[in-house]
Amino acid sequence: MTTGEMWTQLSSGITGLMLAWVMFEQYFPYQLRCYLQKYSQKLMSYVYPYIQITFHEFTSERLKRSEAFSAIQTYIGSNSTKTAKRLKAEVVRNNHPLVLTMDDYEEVTDVFNGVKVWWASSKTVPKTQPISFHPVAEERRQYRLTFHKRDREVITEKYIEHVLKEGKAIAVKNRQRKLFTNNSSENWYGWKSTKWSHVLFEHPATFDSLAMETKMKEGIKKDLTRFSKGKDYYAKIGKAWKRGYLLYGPPGTGKSTMISAMANFLDYDIYDLELTTVKDNSELRKLLIETTGKSIIVIEDIDCSLDLTGQRKKTKEKDGDDDDDDDKSDKEKDPISKKKFEAEKENKNRSKVTLSGLLNFIDGIWSACGGERIIVFTTNYVDRLDPALIRTGRMDKHIELSYCCFEAFQVLAKNYLELKSHELFGKIEELLGETKMSPADVAENLMPKSDEEDEEDCLKRLIKALETTKEEARKKAEEAALKAEKAGEESGETPSQVVQENGEKSEKEVKENGEKSAKEVKENGVIAEG
């Protein structure tokens, strides 16, 4: 038999086997195929001396990425560069530009205590794909560990534990902190779909450079350190390993900088959650599940993100013919109806995240999925927030970041001008005690605007800005006093009586609003205790 005839017969045999396999897959009943597969594997086990363990990428109905899979991926990547023929490269750090990992459908070997094992990567792609320019990514990746059955005890009791431990240690070593933002749910199910996008977090803020009182900084650092080491403590008291921080104060007082300093101090990632892009409570839970441990989840300006208090009020929906298709065209023709129709359309597109959903996000059952998370809310107006949202147990620590004091100024002077003392410091201390200026405004005045400016020029500019702010505050106070005096003359009351009546009226309105809000909470059952 010639070589050509041999190849012809071989190709014919392969074609026949492929045809038989296709017919088997297509025409044999599923139950019969399962039985055949079951008994064929049992038969092979008598002659095939190897055992296989599969580690899948996702667990819990694809809701969460397996930590074991991530650790194995890191471990294999560190050991596969010498033997694997196909590798994937990823940039992690500037001083370590490339990290190589094993590509799909590649196999590498590993040796542990004289025992040889084989790792293979693969992925399962669905047989049917939707016709789309951006096909839905439903592929399932896995790693398969193969070893001889005589080594079962060594592999299951020692080797796998070794791989997971080493993989996590390597991940920590190569880890670079990230800043995440949530994608719109419309982009969750497409090409390279993901719920969070990220960039490298490189903010240089630290507690040493933070413009605030030293005593307050030390207290926050101690609280953060205790939390980061409190895994066993939280498990003992039966609470999820998380902590809430409420940062409040006027604009420019360093709330965002405080978050960056916290992330750098703990070496945590940051998840910047934009609530307005979240459609409903279900999507909010899915985003929470996708976050990792050692992270800070941030909702900035929460009083502006959603009208959470307003959602307690039941909106009256008008029933009628306005929803009919014929009337839609009439609305578009009538300018008034057109505006109304556009407002209704915009209202439908608004986020349906409720106060109840946000409360469950903070400390409900789903908040226990994962651990070592810090949740931070920031606001300029703490009195606008619902008490249920910021009570102890949800926002455990309330931190007020107020206007610049002299101690905070000294930190800024050291940061911006490298000054620890100056003859003008006394004047600045006096003015800071008499007027209100945010640390951001103080820092802007301390920053040199040209190479010709020296430290004294910057300090004088700050003194001038403080004096201007003080004068403006005095004028506003005089104008308010004149208005009160004028109002008193018209009503026949003294200015102090007008001020007192206004205060009593304001206090009465606050009390009525609070009673009304409590009544609405009771009716709607929004507040969830515990």
Side-chain angles (χ1 to χ4, degrees):
M1 182 185 293
T2 63
T3 304
E5 292 175 347
M6 185 180 66
W7 282 110
T8 302
Q9 290 183 5
L10 181 60
S11 61
S12 300
I14 293 174
T15 304
L17 287 173
M18 292 178 62
L19 180 61
W21 177 256
V22 171
M23 293 180 65
F24 174 77
E25 287 280 326
Q26 190 167 1
Y27 296 107
F28 267 61
Y30 175 75
Q31 293 81 358
L32 181 58
R33 279 187 284 140
C34 289
Y35 277 113
L36 288 174
Q37 186 177 9
K38 175 182 177 182
Y39 289 108
S40 63
Q41 288 180 353
K42 186 176 290 188
L43 180 63
M44 285 292 295
S45 65
Y46 292 107
V47 295
Y48 186 72
Y50 293 97
I51 298 174
Q52 294 181 344
I53 301 177
T54 303
F55 299 87
H56 294 276
E57 181 177 10
F58 287 96
T59 59
S60 305
E61 298 295 331
R62 289 184 63 86
L63 287 178
K64 187 178 180 182
R65 197 169 192 260
S66 169
E67 293 183 3
F69 181 90
S70 301
I72 292 169
Q73 185 180 42
T74 306
Y75 175 82
I76 295 175
S78 64
N79 297 325
S80 63
T81 54
K82 296 180 180 180
T83 58
K85 296 180 180 180
R86 291 183 295 117
L87 300 168
K88 292 186 293 186
E90 182 181 1
V91 177
V92 175
R93 291 181 181 269
N94 293 330
N95 53 346
H96 296 85
L98 287 178
V99 171
L100 301 177
T101 56
M102 187 170 64
D103 202 356
D104 296 326
Y105 306 109
E106 183 68 19
E107 184 176 273
V108 295
T109 59
D110 191 22
V111 178
F112 177 75
N113 292 344
V115 177
K116 188 176 183 180
V117 300
W118 293 263
W119 285 100
S121 65
S122 61
K123 62 182 179 181
T124 304
V125 182
K127 295 180 180 179
T128 58
Q129 287 282 356
I131 301 174
S132 173
F133 184 74
H134 297 299
V136 177
E138 289 293 338
E139 62 184 27
R140 299 167 182 256
R141 302 168 63 206
Q142 57 266 340
Y143 284 111
R144 187 178 67 253
L145 172 63
T146 305
F147 55 92
H148 200 280
K149 60 183 179 182
R150 67 170 178 267
D151 302 317
R152 178 194 288 267
E153 186 176 347
V154 175
I155 299 302
T156 56
E157 295 182 4
K158 298 180 180 180
Y159 177 67
I160 294 178
E161 182 181 354
H162 163 76
V163 170
L164 298 180
K165 185 178 179 181
E166 287 295 315
K168 290 178 180 178
I170 295 170
V172 171
K173 180 181 178 181
N174 294 334
R175 178 176 175 267
Q176 186 164 15
R177 285 171 295 111
K178 299 174 183 178
L179 173 61
F180 293 84
T181 183
N182 54 304
N183 298 323
S184 172
S185 58
E186 297 174 356
N187 301 325
W188 287 6
Y189 310 101
W191 177 247
K192 294 185 179 180
S193 59
T194 177
K195 294 179 179 62
W196 295 93
S197 298
H198 72 269
V199 295
L200 296 181
F201 179 71
E202 299 176 332
H203 200 291
T206 63
F207 277 100
D208 292 335
S209 62
L210 206 60
M212 62 187 304
E213 296 177 355
T214 303
K215 185 178 179 180
M216 183 182 291
K217 285 194 286 189
E218 291 301 319
I220 296 170
K221 287 166 66 176
K222 289 179 181 178
D223 188 79
L224 291 171
T225 301
R226 180 173 177 79
F227 168 78
S228 65
K229 297 178 179 178
K231 181 179 180 179
D232 295 335
Y233 176 77
Y234 277 84
K236 183 180 72 172
I237 63 176
K239 290 186 64 176
W241 191 14
K242 64 177 186 59
R243 189 157 177 81
Y245 283 78
L246 175 67
L247 309 182
Y248 66 96
T253 51
K255 294 182 284 294
S256 299
T257 307
M258 165 70 79
I259 295 170
S260 300
M262 291 168 65
N264 286 327
F265 180 73
L266 294 172
D267 198 26
Y268 282 10
D269 294 326
I270 294 180
Y271 288 85
D272 185 11
L273 178 58
E274 179 55 57
L275 283 178
T276 55
T277 64
V278 184
K279 287 185 178 180
D280 51 36
N281 297 335
S282 177
E283 288 190 0
L284 190 61
R285 286 193 294 270
K286 291 177 181 178
L287 286 169
L288 174 64
I289 292 171
E290 286 289 325
T291 61
T292 61
K294 292 186 178 294
S295 61
I296 300 176
I297 301 173
V298 180
I299 303 179
E300 292 198 272
D301 297 320
I302 190 169
D303 54 303
C304 303
S305 297
L306 291 175
D307 186 13
L308 296 170
T309 304
Q311 287 178 357
R312 293 184 174 191
K313 301 176 181 179
K314 295 181 179 179
T315 57
K316 297 181 179 180
E317 297 180 357
K318 297 182 179 180
D319 298 330
D321 298 331
D322 291 343
D323 295 330
D324 295 338
D325 294 336
D326 296 336
D327 291 342
K328 284 183 180 179
S329 60
D330 295 336
K331 287 181 180 181
E332 292 175 356
K333 293 178 181 178
D334 184 9
I336 299 177
S337 299
K338 184 178 179 181
K339 289 183 179 179
K340 184 178 178 182
F341 175 70
E342 291 176 352
E344 291 175 354
K345 186 177 180 181
E346 182 181 352
N347 188 47
K348 288 181 180 179
N349 293 330
R350 286 181 181 176
S351 173
K352 293 183 176 61
V353 174
T354 63
L355 178 60
S356 175
L358 189 58
L359 297 183
N360 288 326
F361 173 84
I362 301 170
D363 71 339
I365 296 175
W366 287 91
S367 67
C369 297
E372 199 171 358
R373 291 192 186 98
I374 292 176
I375 301 174
V376 179
F377 291 167
T378 71
T379 180
N380 296 334
Y381 308 99
V382 68
D383 54 324
R384 295 182 182 177
L385 299 181
D386 195 291
L389 191 64
I390 60 176
R391 70 163 175 81
T392 303
R394 289 180 177 136
M395 293 293 104
D396 305 285
K397 193 172 183 64
H398 296 195
I399 301 174
E400 182 181 9
L401 300 176
S402 189
Y403 295 102
C404 189
C405 61
F406 181 67
E407 191 172 355
F409 159 75
Q410 288 179 305
V411 176
L412 293 173
K414 182 180 178 181
N415 293 342
Y416 285 82
L417 302 176
E418 297 182 356
L419 284 178
K420 293 184 178 180
S421 62
H422 194 276
E423 59 183 9
L424 295 176
F425 276 21
K427 179 65 175 177
I428 293 173
E429 182 178 8
E430 179 185 346
L431 289 171
L432 286 174
E434 298 172 349
T435 188
K436 296 178 179 180
M437 180 176 284
S438 69
D441 291 331
V442 173
E444 179 61 27
N445 284 285
L446 289 177
M447 184 179 292
K449 301 300 186 291
S450 65
D451 295 336
E452 288 76 20
E453 286 188 342
D454 57 12
E455 295 84 356
E456 188 169 341
D457 294 329
C458 296
L459 293 175
K460 288 180 178 179
R461 181 170 55 241
L462 175 60
I463 291 173
K464 184 177 179 181
L466 288 169
E467 290 174 344
T468 302
T469 303
K470 180 181 176 181
E471 182 64 21
E472 291 175 353
R474 185 186 63 79
K475 289 181 180 179
K476 288 181 180 178
E478 290 178 354
E479 290 176 1
L482 289 174
K483 287 181 181 179
E485 185 178 353
K486 187 176 180 180
E489 290 176 356
E490 292 177 354
S491 60
E493 297 176 344
T494 62
S496 60
Q497 288 176 326
V498 173
V499 173
Q500 184 178 358
E501 288 179 1
N502 289 337
E504 292 175 355
K505 184 179 178 182
S506 176
E507 185 177 351
K508 185 179 180 181
E509 289 176 352
V510 170
K511 186 176 180 181
E512 289 176 353
N513 291 335
E515 292 175 353
K516 185 177 179 183
S517 176
K519 185 178 179 181
E520 291 168 352
V521 171
K522 188 175 181 180
E523 291 175 353
N524 296 329
V526 176
I527 296 181
E529 296 292 341

